[in-house]
Amino acid sequence: MTARILTTCAAAVACGTLLALSPLTAQAATPAQAEPTLAAKGATLVDGTSGNTIFGKDADTVRPMASTAKIMAASVVLDTEDVDLERQIPVQQEYRDYVTEHGSSTADLQTGDKMTVRQLLYAALLPSGADAAYALADTFGTGATRAERATSFISKMNTKADELHLPHTGFTSFDGGGSDSSTPTELAKLAQYAMKNDTFRTIVKSKQYKGNAPAANGRTRTYTWINTNQLLGSYDGVIGIKTGTTTAAGDCLVFAATRGDKTLIGTVLNSADRFTDAAKMLDYGFGSSTAKSMKLRTLPAGAQRD
């Protein structure tokens, strides 16, 4: 009887030791991280490689997207066959007038200056310049008049949405100032596509751009643009992507971050606290707690807010 008891106890101890050392058991004992509570009305977080959904909140509800529409505008330009990024485009007064008429964010392009296509992309994506987006639409659209070319460009944006199988995404403007709309899920899918382009990735991860352009008076003008995405430089690993704000859309954000070999892409639509929402979602995806101590990068006086 005594031997049997000792044998049973020894087996139990051995089993307990094995269980304690088992990584599977240890992993199961770790409490799962709670899903984030967001201010946003719609949001999603996906794996940047596979596109698999990690988190969502009303992720398939169609909402206005504001200036995040410029992600598609940039993609249409960059997907143009044999696009020359160093091609110089004269700034027209109509581009500035559009900003004034619509109260849009601006890159403050000066009439008569010559900007390269690459510079116009920076101008559209960092300070969210509607004047730069108009210049791109006027250049890459087709037609005899400026209105026809803008309409043609918007049509190309919608065609690209169809090609990417985004059935609930539609554009009525080249800058997000119209009734442009999408779902968090589809906007994340668009962002995943856009981030495959090296030029796009380089632009959207830049906190600032400074460059020269031939001025209308024959001299050289220096342009400096600050990225409106305050998550850049505030949350470790963030590499983009684009803000957007209108009365109808509220504050929106499309974002991406990489830590190690893991990239996450997310969207936040209509949020009273979009950068914190994004940080919470990234924490959830990375299994971290950065959002609690995050301090947002301050935009300098005079910088665009979008």
Side-chain angles (χ1 to χ4, degrees):
M1 178 67 71
T2 302
R4 185 179 300 174
I5 294 174
L6 289 175
T7 302
T8 303
C9 290
V13 170
C15 183
T17 303
L18 287 173
L19 288 173
L21 293 176
S22 170
L24 292 176
T25 304
Q27 184 176 4
T30 303
Q33 187 164 350
E35 289 192 347
T37 300
L38 307 181
K41 292 185 178 180
T44 194
L45 183 71
V46 303
D47 183 282
T49 302
S50 67
N52 292 336
T53 300
I54 298 170
F55 169 81
K57 176 182 178 181
D58 289 335
D60 296 316
T61 299
V62 176
R63 299 184 186 279
M65 67 168 76
S67 288
T68 64
K70 294 186 178 83
I71 297 171
M72 180 61 89
S75 293
V76 168
V77 171
L78 290 169
D79 284 351
T80 300
E81 187 175 0
D82 298 324
V83 61
D84 181 4
L85 295 178
E86 305 312 317
R87 175 185 173 186
Q88 290 189 327
I89 310 298
V91 177
Q92 306 295 324
Q93 180 61 39
E94 286 81 1
Y95 307 156
R96 293 179 58 84
D97 292 343
Y98 179 87
V99 168
T100 301
E101 180 183 352
H102 294 85
S104 308
S105 49
T106 178
D108 197 23
L109 304 182
Q110 298 299 301
T111 303
D113 287 5
K114 294 180 180 180
M115 315 297 299
T116 66
V117 173
R118 189 188 305 276
Q119 287 176 319
L120 289 174
L121 288 168
Y122 272 97
L125 293 170
L126 267 63
S128 199
D131 44 358
Y134 195 173
L136 291 170
D138 195 22
T139 300
F140 289 90
T142 57
T145 67
R146 188 165 288 114
E148 289 176 352
R149 291 190 290 274
T151 299
S152 165
F153 187 81
I154 296 166
S155 178
K156 290 182 179 183
M157 294 169 68
N158 285 310
T159 297
K160 179 63 68 176
D162 290 340
E163 291 174 356
L164 295 177
H165 306 291
L166 309 177
H168 303 296
T169 300
F171 301 94
T172 62
S173 74
F174 46 74
D175 67 326
S179 56
D180 315 84
S181 59
S182 185
T183 69
T185 296
E186 292 190 4
L187 200 50
K189 188 174 180 180
L190 169 60
Q192 185 182 9
Y193 172 80
M195 291 294 278
K196 293 178 182 178
N197 185 281
D198 291 341
T199 299
F200 184 87
R201 283 200 314 274
T202 297
I203 292 172
V204 298
K205 73 178 181 181
S206 304
K207 292 191 288 291
Q208 174 180 302
Y209 171 87
K210 187 173 184 178
N212 298 324
N217 61 8
R219 299 180 180 180
T220 299
R221 192 186 314 278
T222 300
Y223 284 90
T224 302
W225 299 307
I226 307 297
N227 199 323
T228 58
N229 181 8
Q230 290 175 266
L231 205 60
L232 278 168
S234 304
Y235 187 99
D236 182 39
V238 169
I239 54 174
I241 299 175
K242 184 74 188 74
T243 59
T245 304
T246 62
T247 301
D251 287 354
C252 303
L253 179 67
V254 179
F255 58 94
T258 297
R259 289 185 178 180
D261 59 356
K262 187 175 187 179
T263 296
L264 302 176
I265 292 175
T267 60
V268 171
L269 296 182
N270 201 332
S271 173
D273 197 2
R274 58 183 168 182
F275 299 117
T276 298
D277 279 351
K280 286 179 179 179
M281 292 166 68
L282 289 172
D283 274 354
Y284 182 71
F286 287 127
S288 59
S289 57
T290 307
K292 296 178 181 179
S293 58
M294 182 181 73
K295 293 183 178 180
L296 282 181
R297 173 174 57 93
T298 303
L299 299 181
Q304 293 293 299
R305 267 73 174 170
D306 177 50

